[in-house]
Amino acid sequence: MHLLVCGGTGCRASSSDLIVDRLKAEIASNGLENDVQVIMTGCFGFCEKGPIVKVLPDNTFYTQVKPEDAAEIVREHALKGRKVTRLLYTDPVKKEHVSDSKHMGFYRKQIRIALRNCGFINPENIDEYIARDGYQALGKVLTEMDPQKTIDIIKKSGLRGRGGGGFPTGLKWEIASKNKADQKYVVCNADEGDPGAFMDRSVLEGDPHSVLEAMAICGYSIGASKGLIYIRAEYPLAIKRLKVAIDQAHEYGLLGNDIMGTGFNFDIELRYGAGAFVCGEETALIHSMEGLRGEPTNKPPFPAESGYLGKPTNVNNVETFANVAPIILKGAEWYTSIGTEKSKGTKVFALAGKINNVGLIEVPMGTTLREIIFEIGGGIRNGKKFKAVQTGGPSGGCLTEKHLDIPIDFDNLVAAGSMMGSGGMIVMDEDDCMVSVAKFYLDFTVDESCGKCTPCRVGNKRLSELLGKITDGNGELEDLERLRNLSNVIKDTALCGLGQTSPNPVLSTLDNFYDEYLSHVVDKKCKAGRCKSLMQYVIDPEACVGCTACARNCPVNAISGERKKPHEINTAICIKCGACIEKCKFDAISIK
Amino acid sequence: METVKLTIDSKQVEVPKGTTIYKAAKSMGIDIPVLCYMDLHDLGVENKPAGCRICVVEIAGRRNLAPSCSTVCMEGMEVKTHTTRVINARRTVMELLLSDHPKDCLTCPKSGRCDLQDMSVRLGIREIPGQEFAAMSTYKKDFSPSIIRDVDKCIMCRRCETMCNQVQTVGALSAVNRGFMAVVAPAFEQDLVKSPCTYCGQCVAVCPTGALTEVDHTAKVIRALADPTKTVMVQTAPAVRAALGEEFGLEPGTLVTGKMVSALRKIGFNYIFDTDFAADLTIMEEGTELLDRLTRHLNGDKSVKLPILTSCCPAWVNFFEHNYTDMLDVPSSAKSPQQMFGAIAKSYFAEKLGKKREDLVVVSVMPCLAKKYECQRDEFKHEGNPDVDLSLSTRELANLIKQFNINFMELPDEDFDRPLGESTGAAVIFGATGGVIEAAVRTAYELHTKKALPRVDFTELRGMDGIRTATIDFDGLPIKIGIAHGLGNARKLLDQVRSGQADFHAIEIMACPGGCIGGGGQPLHHGDSSIIKARMAAIYREDAGKSIRKSHENPYIIQLYEEFLGKPMSEKSHHLLHTQYFDKGKKDIYIK
C-alpha cells in the first residue's frame, strides 16, 4: 500500500510535510513499515481541497487532510481497510462521497500530459520517474533517431509554445538547428511571473526530470551541448527539486558527458532570476543570464540566430518542454488527435478566483470555458453569478458570458479579445469591479516595466493614473477616449511583449464592460461595491439604536449623534476604514 | 556586395544588405525623426537602444510599428513613414516623454540647443494631456566640479551610458532602477564625485536634453571683470579657435582666431593670452623629460620607466589615477598647458606687472569640462590661491560674447598680447589627437640629434583611428610612438604597457574621441561626427600657416627660460611646472 501525500507548495503551506511525518510515525508504531510506504509527490491539482492524501492501489482520494488525521488514516484504512469517510470528497451537486478522483467533476475532463507524473511519483526519486517511462524518449532519440527526424516529430505534433507566445516549437528548434556555431544553448524559461500562475512551478516541483529530459532531447536536435534553466528565485522548492534531479541524472549517466554511452554531451546549469517579471521575456532573460541589466532588446535578431553570448539559443517554456517526451514516445499522431485544428495537445491552467474548485487543471485544447468553469471548476463560489474570466494574466483580457462556449485555443482566444498567455485563469463574479481589475493589472505592469522604452515606461504609468483617477471618482468622459487611444499606441509602439500586451486588460474591459466605466465616470458609482472612493458608509436610521459604539471607535470622528438617537456618518470626513461596521451589533451600517 | 530592394513611401530603393530603414530612407531624402539613436560614424560609436520609439514606421504585414533606426531592410519590404497611424503614434510618444519632463525650458541651460525641444517643435506638440494627475520621476540634483546632473530631464536615451561604458570604459554611468523611475546615474544613484567619473564630459557632449550640462563659470567671470581691483587675463586653448565660429553660424572647421581675440578684448579682459604659449612650454618640459628618461634608459638605467605618457589631459589623469594606481610614476610629471600658464602668469608675469597673485584672475577658455575640475585641484594652488581661477567652455564663451552685445561676425582679426600670447604651429596642434606627440617629436628630434628636422609634418601620427602607432627615426634611433584617443583605447594601450607587451617610448593619450577638438565643452555636434573631422582639419591648417612651427623656436619661450626659469627641468621649472599624481583606486564603499 502506498500513501501519496501532495508536496506542492500549496499543500505544504498547509503542513502536508507534517502529514508525511505523522503518517510515517504511525506506520512505524503500528509495525507496518514493510507493507505501507509514504511518498511525497508533486501537485495533484485540486488545491481547493488540499492537503491531499491518495491511497494506492485502491485510489482513495482524501481531501483537506490535517496532520492530526494521520493516525486515523493509518489505523482505519491501512490497518483495517476501512475508508475514513469524513475525509472523502463530497460532490456538491449529488451530495455524495466520491472516493476515486477519476469520478470527480474536477478530474473527469482532464487529460494530464504535462502533469502526467505530478501526484504519482516522488519527484526526488529518479527511479520513480524512470519507472513511468522516464528517459525512454531520450534513449529512443539518441539511439534510433537523428536530429532532423526528432525535429520533424515535434513539428508534426503541432506543439506550440506554452509560455504565451504560441510559436510552433518544432519550427523554433529547426531554425536554431540550421544556424551554424561552435556552441549553442538550450534555455528553459522558468521565470513564471504572471500573478496567480503556478503551472510551471507545479511541473518543476512535481516532475523536474520531464524538463531535464526534454532539454537534452532539444540539445540533441539543435546541436547544443549546454542547457540553462532560468528560474525565478521565488521558487526555492522547485530549485531544490531541480538540483536533486540534475545530480541524480548525472549519477545515472543521463546528463553530462557521453549520455547513455552514445557520445552525446549535454549538461544543465541553473540560473536565478531576481524578482523581475520582465526577465520572462526571452531577450531580457538572456541578458540577465549574461550579467547585464534585464532589459529586452530589439528582435530581429532572434535568439535562435543570436542569443546567449551571441550564440544560437533555443528558449522554451517549462510546460512546452514537459510535453516533449510523451510526443516522442507516443508519436505525433497521438498528440494531434488531442486538441483543435491549429492548437494541438493540452494546456495547463491555474484556475483561481471566485470559483469553487481552485487548482491546477490540464485540459485538451478545445475544451470550452463553460466546461472549465462550471464542470471542472464546480461553478461560482457562494452561489454568485459569473461575470468574467481573465485569461493570460497581465497580458490578457476578459472573457464574458457570451464567450463561454468558445472552444479554448490560441487563435480563438485572441479573436475573442484575450489570449492564452501562460495559463492563468482568474474567475470573477458580480462583486468584482472590472475597472479595478484593469487597474490591478496596470499597477503590476507599471511595477515590472524595465523602463527602457517610452510607451511602457511612461505610457503604462499614465494608464494606471487614469484608471486611478476613475476609481477615485475623478474620472471624466474624455478619460475613456484617452484610455483607449493611449492603450492602442502603447500596443503599437512598445519594444517588447510586456508593453505590447499590458494595455490588453484595459481594452478588453472597455470593450466588454463599458457600462461599468460609464457608471464610474458619469454616475460616480461602483456597482460591484469595490471602489471605496465611490462608496458611502451609511447608517440606517431605522436600525440604529444610538448605542454610540461606532462613534466611539471612529478614528476620524466622522460619526455624530446623541445617545439612544440614530447616528449619522459625515461622508466628507469618513475614510471608509470599516471600523464602525465591525463594532455595530445591530447591522445598522452598510456600504452603498 | 549584396543588396536588397524595398519600397519606402511608395518609392523603390536598393540598399546594401544590412542597411537599416532609417539609413535607407535618409539616402532617399526621407528624414525620419530620431531621438535616442546616435551614429558618430567617424568615431566608430553607435547608440541604438531602440528605446525612445520616435522613429517608428509602418511595415506592411507587420502587426505593430517598427523602430526604423534598428530594423534592417528586407527584400520586398513596404515601408510607410508618415501615415496617420505613424504620426499619431509618434506624437503620442512625444507627449508621453514631455509629460514626465520638467517644463522649465526658458531657464534651462540647454534651451535652444536641446534635441528634445527641437523634436517637440518639429512634431508641433501644443499640449500635453492629463497633466494634473500625472506623476513625475524626480531625483536629487548633483553638482560636481565640472558636470551638473539634473536627471529629472533624463529621457533614457542611453547615449551617455554608451559613451561612458563602451567608448570611455570609465563606467560611472549606467541605467538604474526599474520602470517609471528608471534613469541613468552612477551606481546606487550616488553623486558623480563618488564615482570613477573623470569629468571628460563626453556624456554632456551627447546628452539630448538638459539632464547633463556643464558647471557654468560665466557669472563668476563677469564679476571678476567688473572688479576694479583685479587684473583679469584670459588664455585660450588651441581647440577653441577651430570651433567657436560654429556658435555663430559659421561652417564647422572655420578658424576664427583673430575674431576670438578681438571679442575677448571687447569683453574687457586686461590681457588676451594664448594657452598655446604654455603648450610650447609643455613641450620644452616634457620633451626634455622624455629625452632624459630615454638617454638613461639607453644607457642601461633599469630604474627608468618607459614609455613616458603625456599628462596634459585632466580626464586622462583622473582615469589613470583611478585605474592604474600601480603606474603613477609612468606619466610625465609635466603639468597641463592650462596649469603651466596659470603658474607662470601668477609668478613671472605677476612680477613683470608688479602685482600680487591675489590681485590677478586667470580665466581659461577650454573645449573641455575636466579643466573646470583641474583648476580647483589642491596641488594647483599656492596658499589657497589657484593658479587658474576659472575655466570657461567654448559654449560659455560664445554665450559671454552674446551677453556683451558683441556682433561676432563683424569683428576684425586681432592679435594676442605678449609675452604670453605668442605660440608656434606645434602648440596649436595640441588640439587634435596625435598633435601633442607630434609637437614633442619636432622638439625632441632637434634637441637629441642636434640636427635640423628633415620634415616638420609627421602625418603618420595624424588621423582618426582610435589607436595608432608609428616609429620615428631620430637620425638612426627608432623611437616608437603610441597614440590613443577615447579612454577605451587608452585602456587597451595601458593594459599592454602594464603587462609588459608594449615597447613604446612615448604614448599620447587624449580622453576625448578626436582629441580636444571633440571635447565635452565644444559646440554640440548633435550626433554629426563630420564636424569633429572638420575641426581637426582646421587645426592642421593653422599649424601649416604659422611661420614658426617648433616649440623650442618660440622666442618668448626662450625669453622665459633666460629671464626666469633657467632651463627645462631646472629646480624652478620643477617647482612651477611639474606635479604629482594620487591614488584614487577602488576602495570599499559601503552604503549604510
Side-chain angles (χ1 to χ4, degrees), chain A residues 275 293 295 449 465 492-493, chain B residues 53 85 135 158 177-179:
Chain A
R293 189 171 147 91
E295 281 178 329
S449 164
E465 284 166 354
D492 220 7
T493 55
Chain B
R53 315 310 278 187
R85 174 182 167 201
R158 322 299 280 273
N177 301 340
R178 193 166 77 192

Side-chain angles (χ1 to χ4, degrees), chain B residues 560-571:
Chain B
L560 173 63
Y561 278 106
E562 275 174 11
E563 285 180 16
F564 192 68
L565 293 171
K567 60 182 170 72
M569 306 276 286
S570 70
E571 202 189 312

Side-chain angles (χ1 to χ4, degrees), chain A residues 46 73 79 92 110 181 231 315 326 337 369 440 480 498 542 582:
Chain A
F46 207 167
I73 292 175
L79 209 47
Q110 294 196 39
I231 181 163
V315 183
S337 71
L369 271 175
F440 167 77
L480 300 184
L498 192 157
E542 314 261 306
E582 249 182 87

Side-chain angles (χ1 to χ4, degrees), chain B residues 94-404:
Chain B
M94 192 65 202
E95 282 171 14
L96 287 173
L97 276 172
L98 295 177
S99 79
D100 185 24
H101 200 84
K103 311 292 185 293
D104 62 348
C105 271
L106 285 178
T107 49
C108 176
K110 214 50 181 281
S111 186
R113 317 175 273 138
C114 170
D115 290 348
L116 187 70
Q117 196 180 53
D118 288 347
M119 187 62 66
S120 181
V121 169
R122 176 176 170 172
L123 297 181
I125 305 297
R126 291 288 166 264
E127 61 169 335
I128 303 155
Q131 282 291 271
E132 348 121 55
F133 287 89
M136 304 266 282
S137 49
T138 57
Y139 312 84
K140 184 170 75 78
K141 240 167 135 157
D142 173 22
F143 298 88
S144 72
S146 298
I147 299 169
I148 300 176
R149 282 179 51 243
D150 184 8
V151 286
D152 292 6
K153 297 176 181 168
C154 175
I155 58 169
M156 286 290 275
C157 73
R158 322 299 280 273
R159 290 185 188 179
C160 58
E161 186 184 26
T162 299
M163 289 308 275
C164 195
N165 291 310
Q166 259 115 274
V167 178
Q168 303 296 70
T169 68
V170 168
L173 293 172
S174 190
V176 300
N177 301 340
R178 193 166 77 192
F180 192 64
M181 293 303 286
V183 75
V184 179
F188 309 109
E189 286 188 77
Q190 288 209 82
D191 287 344
L192 270 180
V193 293
K194 291 221 175 95
S195 74
C197 176
T198 63
Y199 306 113
C200 71
Q202 283 306 300
C203 55
V204 176
V206 298
C207 179
T209 70
L212 292 165
T213 53
E214 65 269 25
V215 171
D216 196 324
H217 284 174
T218 319
K220 289 194 180 152
V221 170
I222 295 177
R223 252 176 261 138
L225 287 167
D227 187 338
T229 66
K230 303 277 190 223
T231 303
V232 189
M233 54 189 102
V234 66
Q235 49 157 324
T236 58
V240 179
R241 67 209 64 195
L244 181 62
E246 292 165 38
E247 294 283 290
F248 299 96
L250 288 167
E251 276 298 302
T254 312
L255 281 167
V256 292
T257 320
K259 285 187 164 45
M260 175 180 72
V261 174
S262 181
L264 289 166
R265 208 160 269 136
K266 279 201 154 47
I267 286 171
F269 288 94
N270 298 107
Y271 294 94
I272 320 298
F273 289 140
D274 197 353
T275 313
D276 292 15
F277 168 83
D280 282 328
L281 188 58
T282 306
I283 292 300
M284 296 305 296
E285 294 295 321
E286 207 164 319
T288 308
E289 194 186 352
L290 163 63
L291 287 176
D292 176 55
R293 282 204 214 171
L294 189 62
T295 324
R296 286 197 282 147
H297 171 83
L298 289 171
N299 288 338
D301 186 343
K302 295 273 185 239
S303 73
V304 165
K305 293 275 171 70
L306 278 182
I308 189 171
L309 311 173
T310 60
S311 53
C312 42
C313 171
W316 153 235
V317 167
N318 235 332
F319 184 75
F320 77 70
E321 282 180 328
H322 275 108
N323 295 290
Y324 296 93
T325 55
D326 52 327
M327 293 161 57
L328 291 181
D329 52 354
V330 175
S332 159
S333 56
K335 289 182 184 176
S336 68
Q338 169 182 272
Q339 294 304 137
M340 281 199 187
F341 181 94
I344 293 298
K346 292 203 181 184
S347 55
Y348 172 71
F349 192 63
E351 264 179 43
K352 279 195 187 283
L353 287 181
K355 288 199 187 272
K356 292 198 298 257
R357 61 180 291 140
E358 294 77 29
D359 297 330
L360 299 175
V361 176
V362 173
V363 177
S364 71
V365 183
M366 293 284 146
C368 173
L369 297 187
K371 291 290 175 189
K372 291 173 189 282
Y373 152 80
E374 189 187 32
C375 65
Q376 47 98 75
R377 279 178 76 131
D378 284 326
E379 66 269 27
F380 298 142
K381 296 178 184 164
H382 179 77
E383 286 169 5
N385 178 273
D387 287 339
V388 176
D389 298 272
L390 299 161
S391 178
L392 289 174
S393 64
T394 315
R395 297 192 290 267
E396 285 162 78
L397 175 60
N399 185 264
L400 187 60
I401 292 172
K402 291 172 191 170
Q403 277 194 54
F404 275 58

